[in-house]
């Protein structure tokens, strides 16, 4: 066995163990008895310690140093790029710090949940300060003199730089604020009436999963409080939820997670249990979930098909034609909550978090001033005031879990989806006619062929450029949103 | 931190990882998408490699050597007994052999399933020869000059010796064969009529779980093709199954797995994620599942209560009084299949396998002669001929999985249950009156108090002796069976 093969055999086990750790999280959210929480913390910590040890194993450094990279093909070099990056980052963080962070975020998550239930930001602030301090320390160790926030961002979106995002998001924000304001000055479309039974919602959710190409032989759909997808290769699971009055929540959560799940399922099988065998970044992942959910799933063409399915399943629900249904699906409403936001307003929620978390990490914003900063920014962008912390600064789990640098990947995903959709429309000329029949195969097939199959072979930016034929910019997303919502609201 | 504490911290992570590996098996049987089988093999192999590495870690040997054992208390010494045993056994087996066995049994399991479906023992024989050869090699490495079969048995029943079992089983066999023959010469009681819907069966299964003290906050009940229990501490899961015509299969499988599950749940919480925090052996485990299922669950008193529950749930099912129901629950019928056998005949199935597998491991019986040997022995003990391999030598998964030395622990469990039940009846004088009300708390409380709480603190034999007040013998089980079935069948 050559040195490269030795390294890859070791790495293959690491990847398999990472899958096991991921499945443990899935189990925790779907199946775990509630009395098992403490024990599960110990189990997860033990798995994390094993993974950390493997990522920092000195043999990995030795193997990497011993490999004659220029004799390898492009696939092998891409594997090494991932392994080197993961190893170098892991060894930069002292084990003491890594385990302190793990222990702290486990505690801070509990405190956050209590504080959110009590609508008490002051109860969360002290532990948030600790989380930020440790992540600053970790970021500094990772940055090795470079930008600390960029070093954290690198975990979720390799190669991305906050300064570039700032420019991109800076171009998005004013046009979205203006579009939002114009749309909300217009009359609202009619909404759904009646209740929608769980059985019918889950039946349609499974139909939607199938319709978008999710392979149930290599996955499963369960219910969870917060929908998510989990796993790579041949075991990619998604979850959804049902609420009697909000079937769209179930259906579009499902399509969103199916987008994530299909990306994983559609990666070239030769990459299974290797660093190339998973989605390349959070931003590219989100581009897939978003294009499935929004550009395809919320299109006039596809909602026409969905309307007919809902009529078949639920009978009359107060909307009597496809155009009215399309308007209901795409209704723009005032709201506090990011995860419930429509396509138009969603990025405004993210941009707010990006600016605040950068300032928290740089030290320009103190935790004691965070709630006021949130509320001011919210009022500025959304035009009305936050009523309580659980609708504002306490709404998201991310910061309590130490996830700084994660939020911007949501909007990067939307920007990427805009670029991809433009190219997809050029490539699949009868797209609307197909979607109107509930046939997504040309669209999802194009995404598989041009992006999903590659897994981690290219960098995030490379794969978007390759698929969309352009360097990613916010322009296609803005054009698409302005066109769609202008038409919908008669601007 | 002292040396003992260092060792225990390391061991705690090992135990946590073993729980994770166990949950992966649970997932495989209950939740895993069917297309994920190959990937799951890789994931399990990676987990096994991690566990093997930890069990053979030289630091464990160093810690064990450095600890001044006589300064420790009884609990700590018991922990060391388990750790030393596990470490010494693990280091005796070369890593090459351990991984060869893991790969082979994964393959042989598939071949066994195909051969069983085709009723073709010859298709299974070649790989069974390979399995036996590797297990012989492993047994020889473990035995270090001692008896090879005993060395394998030690994995499931520490301290047990095949020669002792031979004597015990030798005393069981003739009296069971004679009792069986006498019972089957008598008229059969009336059976159930009608079908029993899945919802009603699962509802009663959950009621039974609760009735026997299974804690649903620290466990869950799912369906699986073959019922099993899984996990220790605060996450102990059981499975059951339903068949429309056979509600007793569901109910008594459930009580059986509840017996296993309660043993794990009732271990002193201070032992959680330590070597003492799990059932001490397969035999002692089976004593708990069997006493719950048979001595308690199939008693005249408890079946009176169960009869009323079944009437409430299913209405009329052709049996109109408690005595008739008791007879139906305990019906003795000719049958080929161990897992479907009644209390009287079950051990005859096990004794057959024990004798054959000992001969296979010693080399006295060749795989090419195994099918004939099975069929001859079956005819001798059960009085009729095996009709096809899937009803005979191919019926059980164990040998295909390399599990030699496992079968006898089933009958040891029954023998232990006989001893425990005798002591339990002496201790809980109004047991029948309580069971007749569906109240198992005194009985299960006695088992928790006298046996289950100790986990691995005592050796298997010690804990049975301590709880039952006697060295274990087959006599109480035989007396119990002869008395019960003589009364039932009017012998």
């Amino acid at each position: 066995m050559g040195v490269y093969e030795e390294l890859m055999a070791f790495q293959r086990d690491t990847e398999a163990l990472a899958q096991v750790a991921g499945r443990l999280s899935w189990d925790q959210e779907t199946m775990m008895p509630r009395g098992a929480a403490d024990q599960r913390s110990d189990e997860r910590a033990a798995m994390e310690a094993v993974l950390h040890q493997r990522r920092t194993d000195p043999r990995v450094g030795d193997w990497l140093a011993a490999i004659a990279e220029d004799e390898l093909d492009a696939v092998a070099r891409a594997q090494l790029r991932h392994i080197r990056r993961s190893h170098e980052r892991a060894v930069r963080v002292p084990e003491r710090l890594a385990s302190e962070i793990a222990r702290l975020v486990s505690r801070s998550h509990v405190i956050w949940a209590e504080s959110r239930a009590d609508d008490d930001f002051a109860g969360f602030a002290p532990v948030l300060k600790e989380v930020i301090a440790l992540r600053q320390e970790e970021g500094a160790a990772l940055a090795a003199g470079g930008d600390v926030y960029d070093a954290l961002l690198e975990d979720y979106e390799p190669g991305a730089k906050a300064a570039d995002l700032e420019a991109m998001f800076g171009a998005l924000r004013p046009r979205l604020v203006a579009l939002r304001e114009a749309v909300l000055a217009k009359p609202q479309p009619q909404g759904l009436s009646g209740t929608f039974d769980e059985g019918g919602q889950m039946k349609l959710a499974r139909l939607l999963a199938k319709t978008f190409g999710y392979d149930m032989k290599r996955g499963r759909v369960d219910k969870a409080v917060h929908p998510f997808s989990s796993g790579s290769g041949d075991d990619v699971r998604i979850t959804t939820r049902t609420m009697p009055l909000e079937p769209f929540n179930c259906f579009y959560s499902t399509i969103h997670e199916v987008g994530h799940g299909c990306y994983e399922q559609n990666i070239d099988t030769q990459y299974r249990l290797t660093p190339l065998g998973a989605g390349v970044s959070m931003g590219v992942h989100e581009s897939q979930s978003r294009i499935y959910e929004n550009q395809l799933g919320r299109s006039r063409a596809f909602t026409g098909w969905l309307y007919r399915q809902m009529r078949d399943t639920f009978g009359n629900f107060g909307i009597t034609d496809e155009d009215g249904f399309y308007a209901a699906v795409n209704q723009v409403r005032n709201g506090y909550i990011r995860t419930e936001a429509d396509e138009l307003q969603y990025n405004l929620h993210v941009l707010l978090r990006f600016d605040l978390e950068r300032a928290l990490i740089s030290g320009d914003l103190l935790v004691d001033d965070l709630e006021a900063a949130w509320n001011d920014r919210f009022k500025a962008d959304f035009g009305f005031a936050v009523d309580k912390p659980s609708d504002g600064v306490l709404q998201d789990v991310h910061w309590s879990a130490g996830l700084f640098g994660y939020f911007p990947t949501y909007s990067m995903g939307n920007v990427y989806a805009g670029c991809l959709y433009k190219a997809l429309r050029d490539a699949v000329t009868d797209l609307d006619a197909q979607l109107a029949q509930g046939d997504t195969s040309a669209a999802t097939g194009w995404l598989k062929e041009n992006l999903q199959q590659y897994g981690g072979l290219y960098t995030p930016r490379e794969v978007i450029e390759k698929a969309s034929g352009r360097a990613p910019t916010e322009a296609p997303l803005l054009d698409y949103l302005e066109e769609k919502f202008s038409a919908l609201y008669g601007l």
Side-chain angles (χ1 to χ4, degrees), chain A residues 152-368:
Chain A
L152 299 176
L153 178 60
E154 176 79 13
D155 260 344
Y156 314 107
E157 200 64 23
K161 302 287 170 226
D164 299 334
L165 298 185
E166 192 179 335
M168 186 186 269
F169 294 166
L172 270 178
R173 188 177 166 207
R175 279 170 67 181
L176 290 179
V177 168
L179 180 60
R180 185 198 159 277
E181 212 177 311
V183 160
L184 281 164
K186 292 285 182 173
Q188 285 289 318
Q190 193 190 338
L192 302 178
S193 62
T195 61
F196 301 82
D197 67 274
E198 182 179 312
Q201 289 195 41
M202 287 304 289
K203 199 192 92 187
L204 262 186
R206 283 171 216 277
L207 175 64
L208 284 166
K210 203 177 146 209
T211 298
F212 276 90
Y214 180 69
D215 181 357
M216 292 291 285
K217 287 194 303 298
R218 302 189 297 139
R220 50 180 290 138
V221 181
D222 292 278
K223 289 200 301 170
V225 178
H226 302 287
F228 64 95
S229 68
S230 161
S232 296
D234 291 334
D235 196 346
V236 180
R237 305 180 185 190
I238 64 172
T239 63
T240 188
R241 61 180 163 192
T242 63
M243 294 180 279
L245 300 177
E246 314 240 21
F248 291 153
N249 190 300
C250 171
F251 302 152
Y252 287 97
S253 292
T254 302
I255 300 175
H256 182 96
E257 300 309 334
V258 160
H260 285 303
C262 286
Y263 182 13
E264 294 291 339
Q265 288 188 331
N266 286 337
I267 293 171
D268 193 326
T269 54
Q270 69 169 305
Y271 302 153
R272 204 186 68 183
L273 297 183
T274 76
L276 301 194
V280 72
S281 74
M282 303 307 299
V284 177
H285 239 298
E286 195 73 5
S287 77
Q288 300 307 292
S289 59
R290 284 290 169 177
I291 198 170
Y292 278 52
E293 176 191 357
N294 290 332
Q295 279 87 350
L296 301 176
R298 287 194 166 94
S299 65
R300 172 64 185 80
F302 188 78
T303 56
W305 177 83
L306 179 60
Y307 173 67
R308 297 191 296 278
Q309 307 307 314
M310 279 191 64
R311 293 282 294 204
D312 289 350
T313 304
F314 299 110
N316 180 27
F317 45 83
I319 292 177
T320 54
D321 67 289
E322 292 184 10
D323 283 330
F325 185 80
Y326 174 55
V329 164
N330 288 288
Q331 193 177 1
V332 177
R333 277 183 292 198
N334 278 332
Y336 301 108
I337 307 296
R338 176 185 59 83
T339 58
E340 297 170 3
D342 50 75
E343 202 178 350
L344 193 170
Q345 298 180 89
Y346 187 87
N347 293 301
L348 291 174
H349 289 277
V350 173
L351 272 40
L352 176 163
R353 288 154 177 77
F354 169 67
D355 286 338
L356 295 182
E357 73 176 17
R358 269 185 89 194
L360 287 169
I361 292 297
S362 71
D364 291 343
L365 175 63
L366 298 176
V367 169
D368 290 332

Side-chain angles (χ1 to χ4, degrees), chain A residues 3-283:
Chain A
V3 181
Y4 174 74
E5 287 71 27
E6 243 181 293
L7 170 60
M8 286 305 288
F10 181 87
Q11 186 65 29
R12 195 181 166 78
D13 275 356
T14 306
E15 301 289 335
L17 294 166
Q19 289 298 308
V20 174
R23 205 145 308 109
L24 216 52
S25 301
W26 171 86
D27 182 88
Q28 187 160 348
E29 301 300 324
T30 55
M31 300 291 160
M32 186 185 84
R34 66 177 193 277
D38 284 352
Q39 179 172 327
R40 179 57 59 92
S41 295
D42 293 338
E43 293 169 6
R44 289 184 65 167
M47 280 301 291
E48 284 310 317
V50 168
L51 285 167
H52 182 76
Q53 200 175 36
R54 294 183 72 89
R55 290 185 182 122
T56 56
D57 194 309
R59 285 175 296 172
V60 174
D62 296 344
W63 282 319
L64 285 168
I67 289 170
E69 202 163 334
D70 47 8
E71 290 166 18
L72 297 175
D73 65 14
V75 169
R77 287 200 308 272
Q79 301 281 20
L80 293 181
R81 169 168 57 84
H82 286 274
I83 297 170
R84 178 171 290 115
R85 181 172 158 276
S86 162
H87 178 69
E88 285 176 356
R89 289 176 67 80
V91 296
R92 280 183 187 170
V93 180
E95 195 154 343
R96 184 261 323 151
L97 179 59
S99 82
E100 260 183 70
I101 291 175
R103 265 199 306 277
L104 177 61
V105 299
S106 166
R107 181 161 64 84
S108 73
H109 177 83
V110 174
I111 296 173
W112 164 77
E114 288 166 2
S115 301
R116 190 172 73 150
D118 297 342
D119 264 316
D120 170 31
F121 179 71
F124 178 53
V127 76
L128 180 59
K129 288 177 192 170
E130 292 181 63
V131 172
I132 290 169
L134 288 188
R135 287 287 273 161
Q136 283 169 329
E137 188 184 343
E138 188 188 20
L142 290 168
D147 184 84
V148 171
Y149 185 84
D150 279 352
L152 299 176
L153 178 60
E154 176 79 13
D155 260 344
Y156 314 107
E157 200 64 23
K161 302 287 170 226
D164 299 334
L165 298 185
E166 192 179 335
M168 186 186 269
F169 294 166
L172 270 178
R173 188 177 166 207
R175 279 170 67 181
L176 290 179
V177 168
L179 180 60
R180 185 198 159 277
E181 212 177 311
V183 160
L184 281 164
K186 292 285 182 173
Q188 285 289 318
Q190 193 190 338
L192 302 178
S193 62
T195 61
F196 301 82
D197 67 274
E198 182 179 312
Q201 289 195 41
M202 287 304 289
K203 199 192 92 187
L204 262 186
R206 283 171 216 277
L207 175 64
L208 284 166
K210 203 177 146 209
T211 298
F212 276 90
Y214 180 69
D215 181 357
M216 292 291 285
K217 287 194 303 298
R218 302 189 297 139
R220 50 180 290 138
V221 181
D222 292 278
K223 289 200 301 170
V225 178
H226 302 287
F228 64 95
S229 68
S230 161
S232 296
D234 291 334
D235 196 346
V236 180
R237 305 180 185 190
I238 64 172
T239 63
T240 188
R241 61 180 163 192
T242 63
M243 294 180 279
L245 300 177
E246 314 240 21
F248 291 153
N249 190 300
C250 171
F251 302 152
Y252 287 97
S253 292
T254 302
I255 300 175
H256 182 96
E257 300 309 334
V258 160
H260 285 303
C262 286
Y263 182 13
E264 294 291 339
Q265 288 188 331
N266 286 337
I267 293 171
D268 193 326
T269 54
Q270 69 169 305
Y271 302 153
R272 204 186 68 183
L273 297 183
T274 76
L276 301 194
V280 72
S281 74
M282 303 307 299

